[in-house]
Amino acid sequence: MAPCALTVDSLNPKVLALADHLGNAAIARRAQCIQNEIETKPGSHPFDEIIYCNLSNPQSMGQQPNTFFREVLALCDYPHLLERSETNSLFSSDAIAKARKILDLFPWRTTGGYSHCQGTEGLRDVIAAGITSRDGFHCNAEDIFLTDGSAPPVPYYLDESRGWGVRMSDLKQQLDGARSKGVNVRGLLVINPGNPTGHVLVEANQREIVEFCRKESLVLLADEVYQENIYIADRKFKSFKKIARSMKFDEGDIFSILLFRFQWLRMSHTPLIRQKEMEYYQLFHGVLRPWCVH
């Protein structure tokens, strides 16, 4: 019986050739061309729909945007709406209350201006309190940075047979291979839960990853933005900070974790809707020097 899993060997050679020659962007452009052909020339292909899986964008898969967040964003960006009587009939009462609460955290009750390089202090205070409540370990607001995300240059693979977990031998192979080519790998980015699959790493695998970063002197970048997108009943989300704090190392074992957790509506000095907060967490003793993320 042929294996059911899709592998590089089982892919259509034309797909591989296209990816090797022009890169992933070419596949997306080709998909758009085919989509146009389907719409303008019905029957030109043996299918009538294209599912775009090249981006982790739930809305491209038909998920509707959350109205609450859009309403709060609109009210925060144009706070004069809060002074108008008709706003009560156009916006939900909880969105109005949340917008007022958020604006109270901004100097001069307005968004769009420059802020502290780590992000607005009031927002970082709220985030730190939320993290402390969730994990049961103290979170310092001074260790919080607001940023728009990151992208790693060295890929590694997820093992479907392990629930899309990370196999340490594969991770080590990728790391050693990159280093042998002169790439100075500084950190490991782990997205947990994954998007759009909603897979969640088991605690044992998280502990392996933390130990791997300690041994290899890597900063662990834990992207935990999708912690509510879990679709497996027996899986529970646990933050990497909580896992790391529960592991007992010697005082000499110093490494750092950057945690991307919750999608705030925006940073105070950028017009972006999709933003992440980042906590710089250095385990045990060590000096934390201030730095900025823009």
Side-chain angles (χ1 to χ4, degrees):
M1 180 181 293
C4 60
L6 185 64
T7 65
V8 174
D9 294 333
S10 63
L11 283 173
N12 188 316
K14 294 183 178 180
V15 174
L16 293 176
L18 183 62
D20 291 339
H21 181 60
L22 296 175
N24 293 333
I27 297 179
R29 288 195 296 269
R30 177 57 180 152
Q32 292 170 354
C33 291
I34 294 176
Q35 181 71 49
N36 183 61
E37 293 171 0
I38 291 175
E39 296 173 356
T40 58
K41 302 175 183 178
S44 58
H45 294 276
F47 47 85
D48 57 8
E49 180 185 9
I50 291 181
I51 299 176
Y52 292 88
C53 299
N54 58 312
L55 294 175
S56 58
N57 180 12
Q59 292 183 30
S60 69
M61 305 298 292
Q63 178 176 319
Q64 295 300 308
N66 191 308
T67 304
F68 174 77
F69 296 127
R70 300 299 177 99
E71 289 186 357
V72 173
L73 178 64
L75 292 170
C76 287
D77 276 347
Y78 189 42
H80 294 294
L81 289 173
L82 295 170
E83 302 171 4
R84 298 184 177 181
S85 58
E86 61 266 30
T87 298
N88 293 323
S89 60
L90 296 174
F91 294 83
S92 61
S93 59
D94 53 346
I96 293 174
K98 177 61 71 173
R100 293 185 187 277
K101 188 173 182 179
I102 291 177
L103 286 172
D104 285 341
L105 302 175
F106 284 89
W108 307 290
R109 290 180 53 82
T110 182
T111 63
Y114 287 105
S115 71
H116 189 283
C117 63
Q118 290 180 228
T120 300
E121 182 179 3
L123 296 180
R124 290 187 285 118
D125 289 337
V126 173
I127 293 169
I131 294 173
T132 299
S133 174
R134 186 196 66 185
D135 291 343
F137 293 102
H138 176 68
C139 174
N140 188 346
E142 293 303 311
D143 296 339
I144 298 291
F145 294 76
L146 302 183
T147 178
D148 58 359
S150 59
V154 180
Y156 62 90
Y157 302 96
L158 303 180
D159 188 347
E160 183 179 4
S161 66
R162 302 184 69 191
W164 302 107
V166 181
R167 192 178 293 275
M168 294 302 105
S169 58
D170 294 339
L171 201 58
K172 178 65 173 174
Q173 182 179 4
Q174 290 297 103
L175 177 62
D176 290 345
R179 285 173 171 172
S180 68
K181 297 176 183 177
V183 178
N184 187 11
V185 181
R186 300 294 186 89
L188 171 64
L189 174 62
V190 180
I191 302 176
N192 182 55
N195 180 49
T197 63
H199 68 272
V200 186
L201 294 175
V202 297
E203 182 175 340
N205 201 188
Q206 288 183 275
R207 289 176 175 271
E208 289 178 325
I209 292 171
V210 171
E211 176 64 19
F212 179 84
C213 289
R214 185 195 66 81
K215 291 175 61 176
E216 299 294 340
S217 299
L218 298 174
V219 174
L220 174 57
L221 300 130
D223 188 336
E224 300 172 344
V225 170
Y226 303 104
Q227 58 191 262
E228 301 298 328
N229 293 17
I230 302 175
Y231 311 107
I232 305 175
D234 61 343
R235 291 288 181 89
K236 302 296 183 182
F237 167 79
K238 292 185 178 180
S239 72
F240 268 99
K241 177 184 178 180
K242 188 171 185 177
I243 294 296
R245 286 294 299 268
S246 68
M247 298 172 68
K248 304 300 182 182
F249 294 105
D250 294 329
E251 291 185 353
D253 295 320
I254 303 171
F255 67 102
S256 301
I257 304 177
L258 294 178
L259 305 112
F260 303 87
R261 282 206 182 80
F262 188 82
Q263 285 187 301
W264 279 81
L265 293 175
R266 60 178 291 147
M267 287 176 65
S268 60
H269 61 279
T270 70
L272 300 177
I273 295 178
R274 180 184 174 93
Q275 294 294 332
K276 301 177 182 178
E277 56 87 0
M278 178 179 72
E279 177 189 0
Y280 183 102
Y281 174 68
Q282 185 152 340
L283 210 59
F284 306 111
H285 298 291
V287 177
L288 175 59
R289 296 181 179 178
W291 53 288
C292 301
V293 177
H294 296 283

